[in-house]
Amino acid sequence: SIPHVVVDHGVSGDDARTGGTWSVHTDDAVQRANVLASSDVIVSAFSTLDIEGALLGKPSVLVGFAPGRGVRSRRVYPSLKFSHVQYLMRSPWIKGVYNEDELRSMTKEFLELNPEAIYDNLRQFGLTIAHCGDGQAQQRIVSAIVNMLG
C-alpha cells in the first residue's frame, strides 16, 4: 500500500517450489533478480540479498529488529553483530538499522543518493565478497573448508 514499495514474497501458487529454508528454485531466483534489478534501495534482513544488491550497485538497509505485537516489544536480531554482516556494513551504502525510525531515515537517505555516483564503487565492494567471475569459487570454498579442518 506504500507507493513505489515492492514486497517480494517470491514465486507463489503452482510455480512455488521449496527445498528448505536456504534452497531457492531457479524460477524464484529469476523473479528475485528482476525485483532487485528494478529496485532503488533494498531493505532486507538477509545479508545475501544485500550482497546481490551490491553487485547490482543498489544500496541496502539491513533490518536488525523483529516486528512485535506492540511498539515496545521489539527485539534486536543478533545478525547485525555477525562478522560477515559487520564487514558488509563497512560500505557507506549498506547500513544496519535497529528500529523503524532508523529504517525510515536510512531508506530516505539512500533514496536521495545519485545511483550513478555510487554504482561502480558499490559493485566493486560486492565483488570483493562474491568473487566468482574467474570460475574458481568452488576451489576457494573447498580450500577454506580444508583449512578450517586443519
Side-chain angles (χ1 to χ4, degrees):
S1 65
I2 303 170
H4 307 289
V5 172
V6 174
V7 177
D8 178 17
H9 296 289
V11 174
S12 62
D14 292 338
D15 292 332
R17 295 171 180 92
T18 182
T21 306
W22 299 104
S23 178
V24 178
H25 188 274
T26 303
D27 293 344
D28 200 37
V30 169
Q31 183 268 347
R32 183 155 298 127
N34 289 329
V35 169
L36 291 174
S38 66
S39 297
D40 294 319
V41 175
I42 296 162
V43 177
S44 173
F46 303 104
S47 58
T48 51
L49 286 177
D50 300 301
I51 296 168
E52 292 171 22
L55 291 168
L56 293 168
K58 311 290 182 167
S60 295
V61 180
L62 278 157
V63 177
F65 62 94
R69 294 183 189 263
V71 174
R72 299 189 190 281
S73 65
R74 306 286 191 233
R75 68 178 172 82
V76 175
Y77 283 161
S79 60
L80 292 185
K81 303 294 183 193
F82 293 165
S83 296
H84 75 285
V85 174
Q86 290 289 307
Y87 179 83
L88 285 175
M89 292 189 304
R90 288 182 184 177
S91 167
W93 305 291
I94 302 174
K95 295 298 175 195
V97 296
Y98 292 94
N99 60 55
E100 291 174 11
D101 290 336
E102 289 179 354
L103 174 60
R104 279 189 285 276
S105 175
M106 187 57 59
T107 302
K108 183 179 184 301
E109 181 180 325
F110 281 171
L111 284 170
E112 292 172 352
L113 292 172
N114 175 359
E116 294 170 3
I118 67 169
Y119 177 84
D120 288 336
N121 193 299
L122 188 52
R123 191 166 186 287
Q124 287 303 315
F125 179 74
L127 286 170
T128 67
I129 299 162
H131 180 61
C132 57
D134 62 358
Q136 299 300 311
Q138 181 179 8
Q139 183 58 42
R140 281 191 295 279
I141 292 168
V142 169
S143 294
I145 292 170
V146 167
N147 287 338
M148 283 188 275
L149 296 174

